[in-house]
Amino acid sequence: MIQNPKRYTITAALPYTNGPIHIGHLAGVYVPSDIYSRYLRLQGRDVLFVCGSDEHGVAISMKAKKEGITPQEVIDKYDGIIRKSFSDFGISFDNYSRTSAKIHHDTASEFFKKLYDKGDFIEEVTEQLYDAKADQFLADRFVVGTCPKCGNEEAYGDQCEKCGSTLNATDLIHPKSTITGETPIMKATKHWFLPLDRYEDFLKEWILVGHKNDWKPNVYGQVKSWIDGGLEPRAVTRDLDWGIDVPVEGAEGKKLYVWFDAPIGYISSTKEWALREGKDWEPYWKDKDTKLVHFIGKDNIVFHCIIFPAMLKAEGSYILPDNVPANEFLNLEGNKLSTSKNWAVWLHEYLEEFPNQQDVLRYALTSNAPETKDNDFTWKDFQARNNNELVAIYGNFINRVVVLTNKYYNGIVPTPNELSEVDEATLTELKAYPAVISSSLERYRFREALSELMNVARLGNKYLADEEPWKVIKDNPERVQTQMYVALQIAAALSSLCEPFLPFTATKLSRILKIESPLNWNTVAQNSDLIPAGHQIGEAELLFAKIEDEEIQKQIDKLEATKTANKEEIASSLAMTETQKEAIQFEDFAKMDIRVGTILEAEKMPKANKLLILKIDTGIDVRTIVSGIAESFKPEDIIGKKVTVLVNLAPRNLRGVESQGMILMTTNAKGKLVFVNPDTDDVANGETIN
């Protein structure tokens, strides 16, 4: 670990621009990285917090094919949504770039070329999966098959999302092309490989020895498992039509692998920031007194702890990350978050549906962060954390302090009299909290740090409850001056200490208390006079609003609708892929006499739940047909309905009624019967279907 760094470079995983941001991304990466960056700034540290849109790779191409638009249109659409969501949510990036920018293409190309010129790559012709029908090589995400590690039949060519294993497409059992559904063949192609095996000893020493005690167990364990399994060369180029061109001769039609180009996006984002701000970018990446921290999700551990460090080591002039505090996954209402299945709480939708409640989501996600294991987000828990903690503890304390100060002193901070032992003890405990919270944050324990912040509000509530100024005011107003002064110091401390976690609340509380410039973190630790006597505060405002059951039920209903839609899609897909029946000859079909008819009468068959007796005008006659549709249709609702009738079906006696034909029906994805009938009204009864 770097002690007393001169500066901090903090990176947050580049989000793919193939969809918006959801709560899983926030809990895993963006909220903790923002808390950490804000905390360091409050300490007066030199902090650079960078990110950007990851706009290359197969995920973008797949999205473009699915939506019928170009990859450029995909990245422009989602980059706009993501940028606005981050800004509205208060993620305090110093720079948010995009990998389609020229500065990134140049930086990634230069990086590759330097390693190429040094001879750090292995150039090799290998057999890769090829879709003959689509006439293209299949990049990782265009291949699905059975995971060789856990047996998951829907593993991708680069990773199994069930067991988390990092794979090569050729590792899959029974691979299929996602483009055509065909089984791919093997075909020779030339690529460049980063020989990770050359860096095995370095990685063992740097991580397994050097970071044994300070990296999170989930990160250390995954890295150790990979290294212990033996590292192999990994391709850094791909046969693709979207991405950064491989900048060497003989590489026409090939692009840099997205996992080679994407982490370089942190460097190019830094360069972009430096050009805009008139600063030198290199100290933030090349000075040994800089602390580099990568915030990622657990699916990116291998890339940030093995592949990218090996790249940096090969290049030779860059520092290595001091820590990679990856989080586990956040589930939603008991099920895994899924972009493709729309099983998510999307940030841009949350911001519309819960206006001015950014901090409620930040609080819920931090207090339930998946720091050491997968956790579950539920809307009921979200509501409870708001109502029972933010409103009842934090908001309640601030409201009581501000209301009483305005009631007793017209909003002017009173001059304290002699401090009692309780007052001294309370102020001493208050001064200890910055160090306590810092200790948790420095060890990337954000849940623990947030809990300590709430203990500051609890300290205030306990102080007021024990001291009861509303009772003491009658007999000892001088004592109440001191009590309210102490309570106001706690409120002022909260305006600073909560800023990393609840920045919108910090701004609102500072406005209520009329604190014009944010209190420094160290000031809270050293000074008992945070808001001086004689200072005028503002009127009371509610910091947090109670969230009612109706609002939560709307969100639960929304997810239930998604679940239903997914089931319907699966059912529809299964129906569409039902096995074809045995082949028939045209003559077999020609024997059927199918005509358009109209239902004239309909009544239920006595003592039969499923049968309706219908009178149908077939154009050649009016006949009786008994149909098993009574559970799906009321008789009165189908009179006058156009139907399609098989009129030459041999008559059949059903419960004493002769049925002279059959109505054609189908079943939709919900399992509901639907009439097969003409889609135009000017088709006469008796018209034949052939």
Side-chain angles (χ1 to χ4, degrees):
M1 292 178 62
I2 298 174
Q3 302 298 325
N4 301 315
K6 285 184 180 178
R7 68 192 67 78
Y8 291 77
T9 300
I10 300 166
T11 74
L14 307 187
Y16 266 134
T17 44
N18 67 332
I21 296 297
H22 60 56
I23 57 170
H25 302 132
L26 294 174
V29 177
Y30 305 109
V31 170
S33 59
D34 189 57
I35 290 171
Y36 189 65
S37 300
R38 287 176 177 274
Y39 153 70
L40 291 172
R41 292 191 195 107
L42 276 175
Q43 287 198 318
R45 306 291 183 87
D46 181 355
V47 176
L48 175 65
F49 181 25
V50 294
C51 190
S53 292
D54 184 357
E55 300 178 320
H56 298 135
V58 181
I60 307 301
S61 299
M62 289 176 73
K63 191 73 172 182
K65 287 179 186 291
K66 184 177 180 180
E67 296 191 4
I69 57 179
T70 66
Q72 188 65 47
E73 288 174 308
V74 170
I75 65 175
D76 288 345
K77 171 184 175 181
Y78 289 110
D79 175 72
I81 292 172
I82 291 169
R83 280 174 186 270
K84 187 175 189 307
S85 296
F86 279 147
S87 176
D88 292 348
F89 194 59
I91 302 298
S92 60
F93 298 124
D94 292 297
N95 197 63
Y96 188 86
S97 189
R98 47 192 310 192
T99 60
S100 61
K102 183 178 184 301
I103 195 168
H104 176 70
H105 277 242
D106 291 345
T107 302
S109 296
E110 288 165 9
F111 199 106
F112 180 93
K113 194 70 166 56
K114 183 171 181 180
L115 268 58
Y116 176 85
D117 290 341
K118 289 171 61 181
D120 284 319
F121 293 130
I122 298 170
E123 184 179 313
E124 193 173 318
V125 175
T126 61
E127 298 275 312
Q128 298 291 328
L129 295 177
Y130 182 83
D131 186 331
K133 188 173 182 179
D135 190 23
Q136 70 176 75
F137 283 97
L138 295 174
D140 307 331
R141 285 269 157 169
F142 281 132
V143 188
V144 294
T146 301
C147 173
K149 307 282 181 68
C150 73
N152 172 28
E153 295 180 355
E154 297 179 352
Y156 287 105
D158 62 344
Q159 187 173 55
C160 175
E161 295 188 350
K162 184 175 181 181
C163 69
S165 297
T166 301
L167 305 169
N168 288 307
T170 50
D171 296 334
L172 293 176
I173 302 167
H174 306 308
K176 294 282 184 185
S177 166
T178 62
I179 301 172
T180 64
E182 298 286 310
T183 299
I185 61 173
M186 300 298 289
K187 187 174 179 179
T189 182
K190 181 171 69 173
H191 282 293
W192 287 263
F193 292 74
L194 182 66
L196 294 177
D197 48 320
R198 290 184 195 167
Y199 301 95
E200 200 166 297
D201 290 341
F202 148 69
L203 291 167
K204 283 180 180 177
E205 180 65 27
W206 172 55
I207 300 175
L208 301 188
V209 177
H211 288 292
K212 186 174 184 178
N213 299 319
D214 62 310
W215 280 23
K216 292 172 70 171
N218 60 321
V219 178
Y220 185 87
Q222 192 176 136
V223 174
K224 187 177 187 305
S225 176
W226 248 68
I227 294 174
D228 288 349
L231 300 180
E232 297 177 355
R234 190 170 183 90
V236 294
T237 58
R238 288 290 188 270
D239 292 290
L240 284 175
D241 57 1
W242 179 252
I244 299 174
D245 293 330
V246 177
V248 297
E249 286 187 23
E252 291 73 23
K254 299 182 190 298
K255 308 292 181 183
L256 296 182
Y257 180 32
V258 68
W259 271 113
F260 181 89
D261 119 57
I264 296 172
Y266 303 138
I267 301 169
S268 59
S269 184
T270 302
K271 287 183 176 180
E272 189 176 80
W273 164 81
L275 282 170
R276 186 183 69 239
E277 301 295 327
K279 293 180 178 282
D280 181 5
W281 72 271
E282 291 201 354
Y284 292 88
W285 280 95
K286 297 187 176 184
D287 191 314
K288 62 180 178 59
D289 290 325
T290 297
K291 183 170 182 173
L292 172 63
V293 183
H294 295 311
F295 283 87
I296 58 169
K298 72 174 178 182
D299 51 337
N300 292 341
I301 289 173
V302 168
F303 299 105
H304 283 77
C305 299
I306 292 180
I307 298 174
F308 189 40
M311 290 164 54
L312 296 174
K313 183 71 173 175
E315 197 279 344
S317 66
Y318 286 86
I319 59 173
L320 298 171
D322 186 75
N323 212 314
V324 186
N327 274 354
E328 300 291 292
F329 289 150
L330 185 73
N331 297 321
L332 172 60
E333 298 285 354
N335 293 304
K336 184 176 179 180
L337 281 156
S338 173
T339 300
S340 61
K341 295 178 181 176
N342 194 32
W343 189 255
V345 175
W346 302 105
L347 177 56
H348 66 292
E349 292 182 358
Y350 173 88
L351 292 168
E352 291 175 3
E353 294 164 5
F354 291 88
N356 303 315
Q357 290 181 296
Q358 297 96 324
D359 283 353
V360 181
L361 185 57
R362 289 176 69 108
Y363 182 84
L365 293 177
T366 304
S367 56
N368 191 35
E371 291 180 351
T372 55
K373 63 181 179 62
D374 291 358
N375 272 352
D376 193 40
F377 176 94
T378 70
W379 279 110
K380 289 291 186 183
D381 180 70
F382 167 85
Q383 180 188 28
R385 290 189 186 278
N386 178 77
N387 294 354
N388 302 340
E389 296 173 26
L390 289 177
V391 173
I393 298 172
Y394 193 138
N396 178 59
F397 169 65
I398 295 300
N399 189 60
R400 288 202 289 178
V401 171
V402 176
V403 166
L404 291 175
T405 303
N406 276 284
K407 180 179 180 180
Y408 299 155
Y409 312 112
N410 295 319
I412 296 173
V413 178
T415 300
N417 295 296
E418 185 177 352
L419 298 178
S420 70
E421 286 186 16
V422 171
D423 302 332
E424 295 278 11
T426 300
L427 291 174
T428 298
E429 186 176 346
L430 178 63
K431 283 196 229 179
Y433 271 107
V436 171
I437 297 170
S438 288
S439 176
S440 298
L441 291 176
E442 295 286 0
R443 290 174 293 142
Y444 310 103
R445 296 181 179 181
F446 299 99
R447 292 172 63 173
E448 184 178 276
L450 182 62
S451 178
E452 294 296 348
L453 171 72
M454 290 301 289
N455 283 339
V456 179
R458 290 185 177 95
L459 173 70
N461 274 321
K462 184 177 186 305
Y463 178 78
L464 287 180
D466 290 347
E467 294 298 300
E468 299 181 311
W470 47 88
K471 291 183 179 178
V472 178
I473 190 73
K474 298 173 185 176
D475 302 318
N476 193 350
E478 291 81 9
R479 173 64 189 145
V480 173
Q481 287 181 223
T482 307
Q483 291 171 339
M484 293 311 302
Y485 173 84
V486 171
L488 282 159
Q489 303 314 308
I490 299 172
L494 280 169
S495 74
S496 172
L497 298 179
C498 83
E499 200 275 344
F501 309 92
L502 310 170
F504 294 89
T505 302
T507 299
K508 189 173 183 180
L509 180 52
S510 294
R511 187 180 71 246
I512 293 170
L513 298 177
K514 294 190 176 179
I515 298 173
E516 299 200 357
S517 57
L519 296 169
N520 183 283
W521 195 268
N522 297 324
T523 301
V524 178
Q526 297 163 4
N527 193 347
S528 295
D529 195 32
L530 301 175
I531 185 166
H535 176 86
Q536 176 75 56
I537 69 169
E539 295 292 326
E541 295 178 47
L542 291 180
L543 279 186
F544 306 100
K546 188 178 179 184
I547 295 175
E548 302 296 340
D549 291 344
E550 293 77 16
E551 296 176 76
I552 296 303
Q553 192 58 49
K554 281 182 186 177
Q555 298 302 322
I556 294 172
D557 292 345
K558 187 176 174 181
L559 287 174
E560 284 301 317
T562 294
K563 194 178 288 185
T564 300
N566 286 335
K567 287 179 180 176
E568 290 173 6
E569 186 175 341
I570 292 169
S572 178
S573 176
L574 289 173
M576 289 172 64
T577 57
E578 190 174 301
T579 305
Q580 178 181 302
K581 293 180 180 179
E582 186 180 344
I584 63 170
Q585 301 302 315
F586 175 76
E587 290 75 14
D588 296 320
F589 174 74
K591 291 177 183 177
M592 293 188 289
D593 188 347
I594 306 173
R595 297 179 183 248
V596 175
T598 301
I599 299 174
L600 302 178
E601 300 176 18
E603 62 177 327
K604 280 197 169 186
M605 170 80 77
K607 299 181 180 180
N609 294 329
K610 295 183 178 180
L611 301 178
L612 290 183
I613 303 172
L614 310 175
K615 293 283 190 198
I616 298 181
D617 181 354
T618 66
I620 52 176
D621 56 23
V622 174
R623 64 176 66 189
T624 299
I625 292 178
V626 179
S627 182
I629 61 174
E631 291 181 330
S632 299
F633 301 97
K634 294 178 181 177
E636 61 269 23
D637 292 341
I638 60 174
I639 294 173
K641 185 82 176 173
K642 285 272 190 193
V643 291
T644 306
V645 187
L646 179 63
V647 295
N648 65 334
L649 184 69
R652 185 180 178 190
N653 192 289
L654 296 170
R655 291 180 177 263
V657 178
E658 185 177 69
S659 180
Q660 301 171 302
M662 183 179 289
I663 299 172
L664 279 87
M665 310 287 291
T666 189
T667 304
N668 68 12
K670 297 179 181 179
K672 181 183 177 184
L673 287 172
V674 179
F675 288 103
V676 175
N677 51 20
D679 62 359
T680 179
D681 293 330
D682 59 358
V683 178
N685 292 337
E687 294 285 355
T688 59
I689 295 169
N690 51 46

